[in-house]
Structures are given as structure tokens and as C-alpha cells.
mmCIF file of all heavy atoms in Angstrom:
data_model
loop_
_atom_site.group_PDB
_atom_site.id
_atom_site.type_symbol
_atom_site.label_atom_id
_atom_site.label_comp_id
_atom_site.label_asym_id
_atom_site.label_seq_id
_atom_site.Cartn_x
_atom_site.Cartn_y
_atom_site.Cartn_z
ATOM 1 N N SER E 9 0.550 15.431 -13.311
ATOM 2 C CA SER E 9 -0.002 15.377 -11.961
ATOM 3 C C SER E 9 -0.374 13.937 -11.619
ATOM 4 O O SER E 9 -1.092 13.270 -12.372
ATOM 5 C CB SER E 9 -1.237 16.275 -11.850
ATOM 6 O OG SER E 9 -0.911 17.616 -12.138
ATOM 7 N N PHE E 10 0.127 13.472 -10.473
ATOM 8 C CA PHE E 10 -0.142 12.113 -10.013
ATOM 9 C C PHE E 10 -0.935 12.169 -8.707
ATOM 10 O O PHE E 10 -0.716 13.054 -7.876
ATOM 11 C CB PHE E 10 1.162 11.339 -9.743
ATOM 12 C CG PHE E 10 2.138 11.382 -10.875
ATOM 13 C CD1 PHE E 10 3.028 12.438 -11.019
ATOM 14 C CD2 PHE E 10 2.170 10.370 -11.806
ATOM 15 C CE1 PHE E 10 3.935 12.470 -12.053
ATOM 16 C CE2 PHE E 10 3.078 10.397 -12.854
ATOM 17 C CZ PHE E 10 3.957 11.442 -12.980
ATOM 18 N N SER E 11 -1.805 11.202 -8.514
ATOM 19 C CA SER E 11 -2.558 11.118 -7.267
ATOM 20 C C SER E 11 -2.987 9.676 -7.061
ATOM 21 O O SER E 11 -3.537 9.042 -7.970
ATOM 22 C CB SER E 11 -3.789 12.031 -7.306
ATOM 23 O OG SER E 11 -4.484 11.977 -6.080
ATOM 24 N N LYS E 12 -2.725 9.137 -5.872
ATOM 25 C CA LYS E 12 -3.071 7.746 -5.611
ATOM 26 C C LYS E 12 -3.357 7.555 -4.113
ATOM 27 O O LYS E 12 -2.655 8.087 -3.260
ATOM 28 C CB LYS E 12 -1.928 6.822 -6.037
ATOM 29 C CG LYS E 12 -2.185 5.344 -5.834
ATOM 30 C CD LYS E 12 -3.309 4.850 -6.730
ATOM 31 C CE LYS E 12 -2.904 4.870 -8.179
ATOM 32 N NZ LYS E 12 -3.911 4.283 -9.074
ATOM 33 N N LEU E 13 -4.406 6.789 -3.836
ATOM 34 C CA LEU E 13 -4.765 6.457 -2.458
ATOM 35 C C LEU E 13 -4.184 5.091 -2.115
ATOM 36 O O LEU E 13 -4.444 4.109 -2.817
ATOM 37 C CB LEU E 13 -6.286 6.441 -2.291
ATOM 38 C CG LEU E 13 -6.809 6.164 -0.877
ATOM 39 C CD1 LEU E 13 -6.384 7.273 0.085
ATOM 40 C CD2 LEU E 13 -8.328 6.019 -0.892
ATOM 41 N N CYS E 14 -3.401 5.034 -1.044
ATOM 42 C CA CYS E 14 -2.733 3.795 -0.631
ATOM 43 C C CYS E 14 -3.122 3.429 0.797
ATOM 44 O O CYS E 14 -3.593 4.266 1.568
ATOM 45 C CB CYS E 14 -1.220 3.948 -0.742
ATOM 46 S SG CYS E 14 -0.644 4.409 -2.401
ATOM 47 N N ILE E 15 -2.885 2.166 1.152
ATOM 48 C CA ILE E 15 -3.269 1.680 2.471
ATOM 49 C C ILE E 15 -2.385 2.260 3.569
ATOM 50 O O ILE E 15 -2.857 2.639 4.645
ATOM 51 C CB ILE E 15 -3.210 0.138 2.522
ATOM 52 C CG1 ILE E 15 -4.198 -0.461 1.515
ATOM 53 C CG2 ILE E 15 -3.524 -0.370 3.931
ATOM 54 C CD1 ILE E 15 -5.638 -0.054 1.770
ATOM 55 N N SER E 16 -1.086 2.348 3.305
ATOM 56 C CA SER E 16 -0.151 2.819 4.330
ATOM 57 C C SER E 16 0.671 3.985 3.826
ATOM 58 O O SER E 16 0.752 4.240 2.616
ATOM 59 C CB SER E 16 0.779 1.679 4.752
ATOM 60 O OG SER E 16 1.643 1.326 3.673
ATOM 61 N N TYR E 17 1.305 4.679 4.764
ATOM 62 C CA TYR E 17 2.170 5.805 4.410
ATOM 63 C C TYR E 17 3.354 5.320 3.589
ATOM 64 O O TYR E 17 3.733 5.938 2.591
ATOM 65 C CB TYR E 17 2.652 6.495 5.687
ATOM 66 C CG TYR E 17 3.520 7.703 5.432
ATOM 67 C CD1 TYR E 17 2.956 8.975 5.354
ATOM 68 C CD2 TYR E 17 4.904 7.576 5.266
ATOM 69 C CE1 TYR E 17 3.743 10.097 5.115
ATOM 70 C CE2 TYR E 17 5.697 8.688 5.013
ATOM 71 C CZ TYR E 17 5.112 9.940 4.947
ATOM 72 O OH TYR E 17 5.884 11.038 4.699
ATOM 73 N N ASP E 18 3.940 4.189 4.013
ATOM 74 C CA ASP E 18 5.093 3.650 3.303
ATOM 75 C C ASP E 18 4.739 3.279 1.864
ATOM 76 O O ASP E 18 5.532 3.478 0.945
ATOM 77 C CB ASP E 18 5.633 2.419 4.036
ATOM 78 C CG ASP E 18 6.327 2.784 5.346
ATOM 79 O OD1 ASP E 18 6.692 3.960 5.498
ATOM 80 O OD2 ASP E 18 6.505 1.892 6.193
ATOM 81 N N GLU E 19 3.520 2.735 1.680
ATOM 82 C CA GLU E 19 3.089 2.373 0.328
ATOM 83 C C GLU E 19 2.917 3.625 -0.533
ATOM 84 O O GLU E 19 3.286 3.629 -1.723
ATOM 85 C CB GLU E 19 1.775 1.604 0.376
ATOM 86 C CG GLU E 19 1.277 1.166 -0.995
ATOM 87 C CD GLU E 19 -0.087 0.507 -0.948
ATOM 88 O OE1 GLU E 19 -0.566 0.218 0.167
ATOM 89 O OE2 GLU E 19 -0.684 0.300 -2.026
ATOM 90 N N ALA E 20 2.354 4.685 0.054
ATOM 91 C CA ALA E 20 2.169 5.938 -0.684
ATOM 92 C C ALA E 20 3.514 6.523 -1.091
ATOM 93 O O ALA E 20 3.689 6.988 -2.229
ATOM 94 C CB ALA E 20 1.387 6.939 0.168
ATOM 95 N N LEU E 21 4.471 6.490 -0.178
ATOM 96 C CA LEU E 21 5.803 7.011 -0.473
ATOM 97 C C LEU E 21 6.480 6.164 -1.546
ATOM 98 O O LEU E 21 7.100 6.700 -2.485
ATOM 99 C CB LEU E 21 6.648 7.022 0.802
ATOM 100 C CG LEU E 21 8.048 7.635 0.690
ATOM 101 C CD1 LEU E 21 7.960 9.091 0.243
ATOM 102 C CD2 LEU E 21 8.782 7.532 2.026
ATOM 103 N N ALA E 22 6.341 4.839 -1.440
ATOM 104 C CA ALA E 22 6.956 3.949 -2.422
ATOM 105 C C ALA E 22 6.330 4.150 -3.799
ATOM 106 O O ALA E 22 7.034 4.126 -4.823
ATOM 107 C CB ALA E 22 6.795 2.496 -1.981
ATOM 108 N N ARG E 23 5.013 4.366 -3.844
ATOM 109 C CA ARG E 23 4.333 4.570 -5.133
ATOM 110 C C ARG E 23 4.787 5.868 -5.795
ATOM 111 O O ARG E 23 4.966 5.937 -7.013
ATOM 112 C CB ARG E 23 2.825 4.602 -4.922
ATOM 113 C CG ARG E 23 2.023 4.748 -6.210
ATOM 114 C CD ARG E 23 2.338 3.633 -7.203
ATOM 115 N NE ARG E 23 1.711 3.867 -8.485
ATOM 116 C CZ ARG E 23 0.524 3.388 -8.841
ATOM 117 N NH1 ARG E 23 -0.165 2.640 -7.991
ATOM 118 N NH2 ARG E 23 0.020 3.634 -10.023
ATOM 119 N N SER E 24 5.009 6.907 -4.974
ATOM 120 C CA SER E 24 5.475 8.179 -5.526
ATOM 121 C C SER E 24 6.869 8.030 -6.125
ATOM 122 O O SER E 24 7.172 8.580 -7.191
ATOM 123 C CB SER E 24 5.473 9.263 -4.446
ATOM 124 O OG SER E 24 6.463 9.027 -3.457
ATOM 125 N N VAL E 25 7.731 7.268 -5.446
ATOM 126 C CA VAL E 25 9.080 7.027 -5.951
ATOM 127 C C VAL E 25 9.024 6.202 -7.234
ATOM 128 O O VAL E 25 9.766 6.454 -8.194
ATOM 129 C CB VAL E 25 9.930 6.296 -4.889
ATOM 130 C CG1 VAL E 25 11.281 5.884 -5.471
ATOM 131 C CG2 VAL E 25 10.128 7.184 -3.669
ATOM 132 N N GLU E 26 8.112 5.238 -7.275
ATOM 133 C CA GLU E 26 7.948 4.386 -8.455
ATOM 134 C C GLU E 26 7.499 5.207 -9.669
ATOM 135 O O GLU E 26 8.027 5.036 -10.773
ATOM 136 C CB GLU E 26 6.933 3.289 -8.163
ATOM 137 C CG GLU E 26 6.667 2.370 -9.339
ATOM 138 C CD GLU E 26 5.566 1.354 -9.043
ATOM 139 O OE1 GLU E 26 5.178 1.232 -7.861
ATOM 140 O OE2 GLU E 26 5.088 0.702 -9.985
ATOM 141 N N ASP E 27 6.517 6.080 -9.454
ATOM 142 C CA ASP E 27 6.031 6.916 -10.557
ATOM 143 C C ASP E 27 7.124 7.842 -11.079
ATOM 144 O O ASP E 27 7.262 8.047 -12.284
ATOM 145 C CB ASP E 27 4.814 7.740 -10.108
ATOM 146 C CG ASP E 27 3.546 6.907 -10.038
ATOM 147 O OD1 ASP E 27 3.512 5.829 -10.653
ATOM 148 O OD2 ASP E 27 2.594 7.327 -9.359
ATOM 149 N N LEU E 28 7.895 8.434 -10.156
ATOM 150 C CA LEU E 28 8.989 9.314 -10.557
ATOM 151 C C LEU E 28 10.027 8.541 -11.354
ATOM 152 O O LEU E 28 10.550 9.022 -12.371
ATOM 153 C CB LEU E 28 9.632 9.949 -9.322
ATOM 154 C CG LEU E 28 10.837 10.865 -9.588
ATOM 155 C CD1 LEU E 28 10.443 12.006 -10.513
ATOM 156 C CD2 LEU E 28 11.397 11.398 -8.265
ATOM 157 N N SER E 29 10.318 7.309 -10.926
ATOM 158 C CA SER E 29 11.293 6.478 -11.621
ATOM 159 C C SER E 29 10.812 6.147 -13.033
ATOM 160 O O SER E 29 11.606 6.132 -13.989
ATOM 161 C CB SER E 29 11.529 5.183 -10.829
ATOM 162 O OG SER E 29 12.435 4.333 -11.506
ATOM 163 N N LYS E 30 9.507 5.907 -13.193
ATOM 164 C CA LYS E 30 8.947 5.611 -14.515
ATOM 165 C C LYS E 30 9.114 6.804 -15.453
ATOM 166 O O LYS E 30 9.457 6.644 -16.628
ATOM 167 C CB LYS E 30 7.468 5.258 -14.385
ATOM 168 C CG LYS E 30 7.198 3.880 -13.801
ATOM 169 C CD LYS E 30 5.707 3.609 -13.731
ATOM 170 C CE LYS E 30 5.421 2.225 -13.174
ATOM 171 N NZ LYS E 30 3.965 1.956 -13.092
ATOM 172 N N ILE E 31 8.867 8.000 -14.918
ATOM 173 C CA ILE E 31 9.023 9.209 -15.736
ATOM 174 C C ILE E 31 10.471 9.380 -16.153
ATOM 175 O O ILE E 31 10.781 9.679 -17.317
ATOM 176 C CB ILE E 31 8.544 10.449 -14.968
ATOM 177 C CG1 ILE E 31 7.029 10.402 -14.772
ATOM 178 C CG2 ILE E 31 8.937 11.727 -15.692
ATOM 179 C CD1 ILE E 31 6.247 10.477 -16.056
ATOM 180 N N GLN E 32 11.379 9.194 -15.212
ATOM 181 C CA GLN E 32 12.805 9.346 -15.520
ATOM 182 C C GLN E 32 13.259 8.333 -16.572
ATOM 183 O O GLN E 32 14.017 8.674 -17.482
ATOM 184 C CB GLN E 32 13.624 9.185 -14.234
ATOM 185 C CG GLN E 32 13.433 10.331 -13.245
ATOM 186 C CD GLN E 32 14.120 10.087 -11.916
ATOM 187 O OE1 GLN E 32 14.324 8.932 -11.515
ATOM 188 N NE2 GLN E 32 14.478 11.155 -11.222
#
């Protein structure tokens, strides 16, 4: 389970993609 507070929507989306990429 991942959860992160970001300044912008784009940053939140980018962080989710980054975390998924790390897992992969």
C-alpha cells in the first residue's frame, strides 16, 4: 500500500507511476 501527499495532481500521478516502476 502506497500513499503520498503531493503539491499538484501531475506530481501525484507521476509519483504513483514512479512507485509502480520501482516495484516492477
Side-chain angles (χ1 to χ4, degrees):
S9 300
F10 309 85
S11 182
K12 181 66 68 175
L13 182 64
C14 303
I15 298 300
S16 67
Y17 182 92
D18 288 341
E19 181 185 350
L21 184 59
R23 183 57 187 267
S24 69
V25 173
E26 179 185 348
D27 284 341
L28 178 59
S29 178
K30 286 181 179 180
I31 292 295
Q32 291 173 333

